[in-house]
Amino acid sequence: MEILLERGEGRAAPVYRQIAEQIRHSIASGQLADGTRLPPIRGLAQRLGVHRDTVALAYEELVAAGLAEATVGRGTFVRQAALPAEATLPFEPPLSAPIERLLEFERARPRYGAASESVPLHALVPDPTLFPVDEFRRALGRTLTEGGAELLLYGGPQGHPGLRESLARRLRAQHGIEARPEELVICQGASQGISLALRLFAQPGDAVAVEEPTYQNVLGALLGLGLRPVPVPMEAEGPDLARLEQVLARPEVKLFYTIPTFHNPLGTVMPEVRRRELLRVAQRAGKPVVEDAFEADLRFDGHPVPPLAALDRVGLVVHLVSFSKSLFPGCRVGAIHARGRTIEGLLALRHSSDLGGAPLLQAALAAFVDAGGYDRHLTRLRRVLRGRCQAMLDALARELSGAATWTHPEGGYQVWVALKGAMDTRDLLADAMRGGVLFAPGDQFYHDGRPSSGLRLTFAQADEAGIRRGVAALGEIVRVRREEPKATHAESVHV
Amino acid sequence: MEILLERGEGRAAPVYRQIAEQIRHSIASGQLADGTRLPPIRGLAQRLGVHRDTVALAYEELVAAGLAEATVGRGTFVRQAALPAEATLPFEPPLSAPIERLLEFERARPRYGAASESVPLHALVPDPTLFPVDEFRRALGRTLTEGGAELLLYGGPQGHPGLRESLARRLRAQHGIEARPEELVICQGASQGISLALRLFAQPGDAVAVEEPTYQNVLGALLGLGLRPVPVPMEAEGPDLARLEQVLARPEVKLFYTIPTFHNPLGTVMPEVRRRELLRVAQRAGKPVVEDAFEADLRFDGHPVPPLAALDRVGLVVHLVSFSKSLFPGCRVGAIHARGRTIEGLLALRHSSDLGGAPLLQAALAAFVDAGGYDRHLTRLRRVLRGRCQAMLDALARELSGAATWTHPEGGYQVWVALKGAMDTRDLLADAMRGGVLFAPGDQFYHDGRPSSGLRLTFAQADEAGIRRGVAALGEIVRVRREEPKATHAESVHV
């Protein structure tokens, strides 16, 4: 029996459930016979690098499901006989083709079989130790006290007016976008914004131009919607515009998805001149541009570059905003800025998808922002990120000089490291886990999952000491690998 | 210039914005020339039946947008010249075909141009005066204090483990469904559950069997997803199963969506024997059944009938749960119960759609439920609903005997009234608004929007006195209309 664990943002299930599910599967398939003793909790926890309680919880779930029996002092034993009769002949309704493709895509994602002491340089999730929890809790309590039952009703597909006012003001003042509250639709983080924007302009069978590499979840969203990504290669200063012009000229390509500021996974910023040219290309093609500005508030260095939406004079740009990386993701609040019929379409689509979000969280967020809490948090966060970024760049210079090149972010959380030579960074992941560091291999940011010698590091969750330790571990692994290029390693723990 | 207002659940925008938008449109189209004086606030407010502040807010928005100018003591005047140059030639990216169809569907929805004193017998939104706001606020504050920053991180696509435990326990104990926490996916109300379930089994071009009449938002969700509804007529005891068998035999029909308990809009309950036969029909066809149990916790009379999911022995049923009608909709929490690969598919789909919901609200809801707050609320709510339902049935007997028949709900909020004769209830709506009552005309519950002599009344928001007043007003309108069958009435206010 082997157990593969996935952690962090977007894991399919909590770790204890992943363990329980995999053991359940082994029982159902007959791999673990009736009466077999499951591995002792302490030993399995050590091998998987998880806390003992996590394994204990997994075992408890199996016992609760009648699949195992715990005997005090002796251990936990498989009770195959307890499988209910119908479980042996379940009806499995066929899933739609896009969902099957999505499941295949999900299976190909790297499994971060994390020992808990590994440095999480793979995670693009903000550091919870920096969250202004108390201040937000007070805003939330006050908001519900003042707003009352009204905030527990449906809020409608457009979202809380106060939050839209507040966001429109910020977009105007901080980012030069002439946004009005009625041009904003609040959504469940930029990620729902992406799904809605894709559906707005493209229907199954259509294609969407994406930068390559790009945010891996956009590739998943496209698959799930029956859409096809058409890659536009990224250069140092942004997407190859000659290629973009060719791609957008195709009738089946309905829009361009781009991350011009603090690109994911590259961490780069598209210069203003390239942005203006990009808008001309899109305008000539008559195709909308979806601008993902998910880290736009996280500049800690260099000079601001206006977002595409601020340069757009004709209404080409749909602009996505998020609080998930700059504050915290748990409110699931982002926003879409668009104009005219695009807004009408978004409202109808949001209404038909889930009727809208939670007014209470939106109102509390507005109160928090309006009281200056968000700006105070950004000031602190940018300072921390500047330090962590510098620690990462210094460590990379120490550890990987000559073996790699990397980007120099002016904001956000991510650095792209391109290893020299024909290396597939997916192959390094198992070594890295053993060495105590996690990174995001580059292949997942390519539409065809091709092997990549690139990898994404983040300074989101690790502090400066952790970053130094993690990059040192990565440097060691790369050095070893460059010396013995043929070794293969399993990326899972065999129990 | 005519102004149409839409209110209540799922309105496209706040009333003030609807007013501002329609005036803006009239300015942009040249219908309101530069310098035209807008109607005085007090007069327009009276004609629209809204508060003066609402109109004032709309005018302020126009002034802020540079489209109007307010002169103290003289009024508000159109400033056509202020339209920005690019607004005259905006780029309007073409919307995808499903979105255009969805917009058309949305435009056909009734506009409840509500005078605020109208009795809202159209609304299927729970009464906010009954919400346990303080108890929930305390649960929320405690939960965030105890759970801390972890609750502000991503929670993953499956949703909070504690809430799934809690819901699984309730499904087992209250509804006889052998649910396990790992078989539940928390979603944004049952409405997101519907969208996810549809996408899970059907892809654009496919068809979905639905009861007719059925929940109007399902028809919208189908359109937005490029799916086609295939109606199965409702009888007194549920869908026509002979017809269902024919429909499910077609290869392009991928699933059946049903509301067996407290049907929307009919308010009826499918008897157990019909449920068992329905499952046999679905099993013979090998097609999954999506069971919407959105009001399952709201039985106030009669005997419980097991949900399809409790009778299902093979895994045919995907069961949708909601807190939106039985507690409040503002948390946007519902759940899907399913098994095997269906769960895997749901998790991948939810992840690719919006990464998952807000863990804080889910955890707070779990705490509220576990502390007994939900059950206490249900006890109170069911008592209130029993009284309101009786008031409505008594009033119907007084006012509409001989002119209509109606259903006798044992739970939930809705009663279906079928008027005698060839009456199109959509035509009655304008009279009803003038008469001080709102109802939901039947046409919107039919896939083709055909004229219907049925209408849906709810006892969700009105108290017993309001119900008596509203039904009396409806009775009067029906009597008048039956005497002069040829009158036509505009359903909007001409300004």
Side-chain angles (χ1 to χ4, degrees):
Chain A
M1 184 178 60
E2 77 176 0
I3 292 181
L4 296 166
L5 295 182
E6 189 186 2
R7 291 208 185 189
E9 171 189 2
R11 61 174 190 230
V15 170
Y16 83 93
R17 226 213 94 209
Q18 295 182 49
I19 298 170
E21 270 308 301
Q22 291 177 56
I23 296 176
R24 179 197 308 281
H25 184 80
S26 298
I27 297 172
S29 69
Q31 206 185 327
L32 282 178
D34 197 21
T36 309
R37 182 168 180 233
L38 292 175
I41 289 175
R42 179 198 299 263
L44 181 55
Q46 270 175 359
R47 276 190 268 184
L48 294 172
V50 301
H51 196 276
R52 286 162 55 186
D53 290 351
T54 305
V55 175
L57 204 58
Y59 283 12
E60 277 169 30
E61 192 167 302
L62 292 166
V63 170
L67 292 172
E69 207 161 35
T71 313
V72 177
R74 292 186 51 233
T76 309
F77 296 84
V78 171
R79 274 180 59 200
Q80 167 93 39
L83 270 177
E86 67 264 34
T88 59
L89 189 76
F91 172 76
E92 288 280 9
L95 305 181
S96 69
I99 304 301
E100 290 291 356
R101 283 192 292 268
L102 183 58
L103 281 170
E104 203 177 322
F105 174 82
E106 291 283 321
R107 275 191 293 270
R109 297 201 319 172
R111 308 267 151 179
Y112 298 105
S116 45
E117 70 276 16
S118 284
V119 184
L121 302 185
H122 68 307
L124 188 37
V125 176
D127 185 345
T129 64
L130 304 173
F131 293 174
V133 179
D134 290 336
E135 201 174 348
F136 182 72
R137 192 187 57 242
R138 284 191 297 267
L140 189 62
R142 250 193 332 263
T143 301
L144 187 48
T145 303
E146 288 164 14
E150 183 75 22
L151 292 173
L152 298 173
L153 282 166
Y154 292 103
Q158 188 149 19
H160 191 263
L163 182 58
R164 288 187 286 111
E165 295 272 355
S166 188
L167 268 173
R169 245 190 329 265
R170 288 192 72 83
L171 287 175
R172 287 195 302 267
Q174 314 278 325
H175 299 287
I177 300 171
E178 278 309 313
R180 294 188 292 221
E182 67 272 23
E183 294 168 345
L184 288 167
V185 177
I186 306 299
C187 50
Q188 294 275 109
S191 63
Q192 190 192 32
I194 292 171
S195 293
L196 295 175
L198 293 175
R199 290 179 63 189
L200 199 61
F201 301 120
Q203 64 177 314
D206 287 341
V208 170
V210 296
E211 293 160 339
E212 185 154 83
T214 192
Y215 176 38
Q216 70 275 38
N217 284 342
V218 168
L219 299 172
L222 289 170
L223 282 176
L225 291 167
L227 299 170
R228 198 162 45 81
V230 180
V232 177
M234 282 297 284
E235 301 170 340
E237 302 218 315
D240 174 344
L241 294 184
R243 179 81 189 124
L244 179 64
E245 180 125 40
Q246 291 167 350
V247 167
L248 288 184
R250 297 196 213 155
E252 75 274 20
V253 176
K254 301 300 184 191
L255 69 117
F256 178 45
Y257 169 81
T258 176
I259 314 172
T261 299
F262 315 138
H263 185 269
N264 184 13
L266 300 182
T268 52
V269 175
M270 197 188 308
E272 182 171 341
V273 56
R274 174 84 62 129
R275 293 179 189 225
R276 292 188 182 276
E277 182 55 28
L278 187 159
L279 288 174
R280 281 190 289 270
V281 168
Q283 192 172 0
R284 281 196 294 273
K287 302 283 168 76
V289 175
V290 174
E291 174 180 42
D292 190 341
F294 79 117
E295 285 178 340
D297 280 338
L298 293 182
R299 176 173 286 278
F300 51 72
D301 203 359
H303 297 290
V305 180
L308 291 169
L311 303 173
D312 173 28
R313 308 257 50 102
V314 292
L316 284 163
V317 177
V318 172
H319 183 86
L320 303 181
V321 175
S322 176
F323 282 101
S324 296
K325 313 301 181 192
S326 54
L327 181 58
F328 38 67
C331 275
R332 307 307 300 118
V333 172
I336 310 177
H337 176 255
R339 295 197 168 100
R341 295 196 70 229
T342 305
I343 284 286
E344 277 180 63
L346 279 170
L347 293 177
L349 187 54
R350 178 84 207 261
H351 182 263
S352 86
S353 301
D354 61 12
L355 298 179
L360 171 58
L361 292 180
Q362 296 173 10
L365 195 52
F368 178 81
V369 171
D370 292 347
Y374 182 53
D375 280 321
R376 282 191 294 276
H377 175 68
L378 283 178
T379 303
R380 274 193 308 270
L381 180 59
R382 290 189 192 117
R383 194 175 53 231
V384 170
L385 291 186
R386 191 183 300 117
R388 290 184 180 180
C389 181
Q390 198 53 55
M392 180 167 278
L393 295 176
D394 291 348
L396 284 167
R398 259 193 322 272
E399 303 290 341
L400 283 166
S401 270
T405 57
W406 51 88
T407 56
H408 292 72
E410 296 182 343
Y413 292 104
Q414 58 276 9
V415 173
W416 181 257
V417 178
L419 298 182
K420 292 184 177 169
M423 207 168 295
D424 180 350
T425 52
R426 171 73 77 125
D427 284 347
L428 291 181
L429 195 56
D431 286 354
M433 289 179 198
R434 271 187 292 271
V437 63
L438 298 170
F439 64 83
D443 58 335
Q444 65 188 304
F445 305 106
Y446 287 79
H447 78 289
D448 50 5
R450 79 184 69 162
S452 165
S453 59
L455 58 91
R456 188 190 70 187
L457 298 181
T458 67
F459 40 89
Q461 296 232 322
D463 62 13
E464 296 183 25
I467 289 167
R468 281 188 285 270
R469 206 166 65 242
V471 175
L474 180 65
E476 177 61 21
I477 288 149
V478 170
R479 276 189 296 277
V480 169
R481 183 59 70 105
R482 281 164 69 91
E483 283 156 22
E484 15 166 1
K486 274 292 147 222
T488 40
H489 300 272
E491 67 177 46
S492 57
V493 177
H494 284 266
V495 177
Chain B
M1 184 179 59
E2 78 177 0
I3 292 182
L4 296 166
L5 295 183
E6 188 186 3
R7 292 209 186 190
E9 171 188 3
R11 60 173 190 231
V15 171
Y16 83 92
R17 227 212 93 208
Q18 295 182 49
I19 298 171
E21 270 308 302
Q22 291 177 56
I23 296 176
R24 181 197 308 282
H25 184 79
S26 298
I27 297 173
S29 68
Q31 206 185 326
L32 281 178
D34 197 20
T36 309
R37 181 166 180 234
L38 294 175
I41 289 176
R42 180 199 299 262
L44 182 55
Q46 271 175 358
R47 276 191 269 183
L48 293 173
V50 300
H51 196 276
R52 286 162 55 185
D53 290 352
T54 305
V55 176
L57 204 58
Y59 282 12
E60 275 169 30
E61 193 168 301
L62 292 166
V63 170
L67 291 173
E69 206 162 34
T71 312
V72 177
R74 292 186 50 231
T76 309
F77 296 83
V78 170
R79 275 181 58 202
Q80 167 93 38
L83 272 176
E86 68 265 33
T88 59
L89 189 75
F91 172 76
E92 288 278 9
L95 305 181
S96 70
I99 304 302
E100 289 291 358
R101 282 192 292 268
L102 183 57
L103 281 171
E104 202 177 323
F105 175 81
E106 291 283 321
R107 275 190 294 269
R109 297 203 316 174
R111 309 265 151 180
Y112 298 104
S116 44
E117 69 275 19
S118 285
V119 184
L121 302 185
H122 67 308
L124 189 35
V125 176
D127 185 345
T129 64
L130 304 173
F131 293 174
V133 179
D134 290 336
E135 200 175 348
F136 183 72
R137 193 186 57 240
R138 285 190 296 270
L140 190 62
R142 251 194 331 265
T143 301
L144 186 48
T145 303
E146 287 164 14
E150 183 76 22
L151 292 174
L152 298 173
L153 281 166
Y154 293 103
Q158 188 148 21
H160 191 262
L163 182 58
R164 289 187 286 111
E165 295 271 355
S166 189
L167 268 173
R169 244 191 327 268
R170 288 192 72 83
L171 287 174
R172 288 194 302 266
Q174 314 278 326
H175 300 286
I177 300 171
E178 279 308 315
R180 294 187 293 220
E182 67 271 23
E183 295 169 344
L184 288 167
V185 177
I186 306 299
C187 50
Q188 293 276 107
S191 64
Q192 190 191 32
I194 292 170
S195 292
L196 295 175
L198 293 174
R199 289 179 63 188
L200 199 61
F201 301 120
Q203 64 178 313
D206 286 341
V208 170
V210 297
E211 293 159 338
E212 184 154 87
T214 192
Y215 176 37
Q216 70 275 40
N217 285 341
V218 167
L219 299 172
L222 289 170
L223 283 176
L225 291 167
L227 299 170
R228 199 162 44 82
V230 181
V232 177
M234 282 296 284
E235 301 169 341
E237 302 218 315
D240 174 345
L241 294 184
R243 178 82 189 123
L244 179 65
E245 181 126 39
Q246 292 167 350
V247 167
L248 288 184
R250 297 196 214 156
E252 75 274 18
V253 176
K254 301 300 184 192
L255 68 116
F256 179 45
Y257 169 82
T258 176
I259 314 172
T261 299
F262 316 137
H263 185 270
N264 184 13
L266 300 181
T268 52
V269 175
M270 198 188 307
E272 182 171 341
V273 57
R274 174 85 61 129
R275 293 178 189 226
R276 292 188 183 276
E277 182 56 28
L278 187 158
L279 288 174
R280 280 190 289 270
V281 168
Q283 192 172 1
R284 281 197 293 273
K287 302 283 167 75
V289 175
V290 174
E291 174 180 42
D292 190 341
F294 78 116
E295 286 178 340
D297 281 339
L298 293 182
R299 176 173 285 280
F300 51 72
D301 203 359
H303 297 290
V305 180
L308 292 169
L311 302 172
D312 173 29
R313 308 257 49 101
V314 291
L316 283 163
V317 176
V318 172
H319 183 85
L320 303 182
V321 175
S322 177
F323 283 101
S324 296
K325 312 301 182 193
S326 54
L327 181 58
F328 39 66
C331 274
R332 309 306 301 117
V333 172
I336 310 176
H337 176 256
R339 296 197 167 100
R341 295 197 69 230
T342 305
I343 283 287
E344 276 180 64
L346 279 171
L347 293 176
L349 188 54
R350 178 85 207 261
H351 181 263
S352 86
S353 301
D354 61 12
L355 299 177
L360 171 58
L361 291 180
Q362 296 173 11
L365 194 52
F368 178 81
V369 171
D370 291 348
Y374 182 53
D375 279 321
R376 281 191 295 276
H377 174 69
L378 283 178
T379 303
R380 274 193 308 270
L381 180 59
R382 289 189 192 116
R383 194 175 53 231
V384 170
L385 291 185
R386 191 183 300 116
R388 290 184 179 180
C389 181
Q390 198 53 56
M392 180 166 279
L393 295 176
D394 291 346
L396 284 168
R398 259 193 321 273
E399 304 290 341
L400 284 167
S401 269
T405 57
W406 51 87
T407 56
H408 291 72
E410 296 181 344
Y413 292 104
Q414 58 275 10
V415 172
W416 181 256
V417 178
L419 298 182
K420 293 184 177 167
M423 208 169 292
D424 180 350
T425 52
R426 171 73 76 124
D427 284 347
L428 291 181
L429 194 56
D431 285 353
M433 288 179 199
R434 270 187 292 270
V437 62
L438 297 171
F439 64 83
D443 58 336
Q444 66 189 304
F445 305 106
Y446 287 78
H447 78 289
D448 50 6
R450 79 184 69 163
S452 164
S453 58
L455 58 90
R456 187 190 69 187
L457 298 181
T458 66
F459 40 89
Q461 297 232 323
D463 61 15
E464 296 183 24
I467 289 167
R468 281 188 285 269
R469 205 166 65 242
V471 175
L474 180 65
E476 176 61 21
I477 288 149
V478 171
R479 277 189 295 276
V480 169
R481 184 59 70 106
R482 281 163 70 91
E483 284 155 23
E484 15 168 359
K486 274 293 146 222
T488 39
H489 299 274
E491 67 178 47
S492 57
V493 177
H494 284 265
V495 177

